[in-house]
Each structure stands twice: as C-alpha cells, then as structure tokens.
C-alpha cells in the first residue's frame, strides 16, 4: 500500500495539469533546463540514446540557530521578618475567627 501511494504521488508530481498530451513535453522541458525539476531529472536516466547526468542531490537545510536561553531571575532569599509577620497575621486572623464563631452562638450568658 505504501509503494502504491508513493508511485501515485510521483506520477501526480511529474504529470502536468493539462493532461497526458503534455506529459512528454513537460518532461523534456525539465530535462532541457539545468535548473529544471530535480525529481523529474533524477528519474530519467537517458534521452535519445544519450546518458543524462544526474543532478547533484540538494544540500540539506541548515538547522535553525538556537535562541539563547534567557537567564531566570534568582529568587530572593526568604525574608525572616516577612515570614514571621505573615505567620503572626494568620494566627491572629484565625484566633479572631474562632472567637467570632463562639460569640455568635446562642446560649447561656453565664457560660460565656
């Protein structure tokens, strides 16, 4: 199946859109021009009893240059004062919330 697909793609590439009557003239135009279609020039090995020199293979495209890695900012060392203040604020807020929940409970005033 892969062979058939490759042959179909090859025939589709070298055959002109005008139809079969332009097929040979299309191949001849590719062979007459040294810069003609490399696929057609690589397939045909002789014309009028003369060997046709195969074109050199195309040069591989060079890889794209890699972008320089952007240096990440180093995280500042943790500030002990800021950490202590954050923990104190969390504890104070949590304690106030618990006290507010207890004050909102209906119950015996003597128990509070």
């Amino acid at each position: 199946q892969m062979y058939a697909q490759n042959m179909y793609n090859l025939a589709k590439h070298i055959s002109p859109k005008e139809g079969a009557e332009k097929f040979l003239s299309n191949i001849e135009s590719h062979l007459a021009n040294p810069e003609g279609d490399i696929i057609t020039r690589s397939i045909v090995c002789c014309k009028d009893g003369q060997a046709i020199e195969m074109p050199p293979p195309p040069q591989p495209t060079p890889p794209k240059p890699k972008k320089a890695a952007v240096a990440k900012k180093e995280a500042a060392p943790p500030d002990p004062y800021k950490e202590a203040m954050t923990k104190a604020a969390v504890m104070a807020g949590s304690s106030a919330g618990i006290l507010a929940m207890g004050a909102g409970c209906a119950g015996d005033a003597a128990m509070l």
Side-chain angles (χ1 to χ4, degrees):
Q1 183 179 5
M2 187 187 311
Y3 177 74
Q5 184 67 38
N6 287 339
M7 292 306 295
Y8 170 77
N9 289 336
L10 176 64
K12 186 177 173 184
H13 178 80
I14 63 173
S15 65
K17 294 179 183 178
E18 294 86 20
E21 60 273 354
K22 298 285 185 176
F23 180 72
L24 288 177
S25 62
N26 189 32
I27 289 179
E28 287 177 10
S29 68
H30 289 170
L31 294 176
N33 183 4
E35 298 297 320
D37 185 33
I38 191 167
I39 296 173
T40 305
R41 291 174 50 85
S42 298
I43 293 170
V44 180
C45 61
C46 65
K47 180 181 178 209
D48 299 328
Q50 300 292 324
I52 296 176
E53 185 177 332
M54 186 172 165
Q59 297 296 320
T61 56
K64 294 181 180 178
K66 293 183 179 180
K67 294 180 181 177
V70 178
K72 294 182 181 180
K73 291 183 180 179
E74 288 189 29
D79 184 17
Y81 175 75
K82 187 175 180 179
E83 284 186 25
M85 289 303 291
T86 303
K87 289 178 182 177
V90 168
M91 287 303 291
S94 299
S95 300
I98 291 172
L99 288 174
M101 285 191 295
C105 294
D108 188 13
M111 294 293 284
L112 294 176

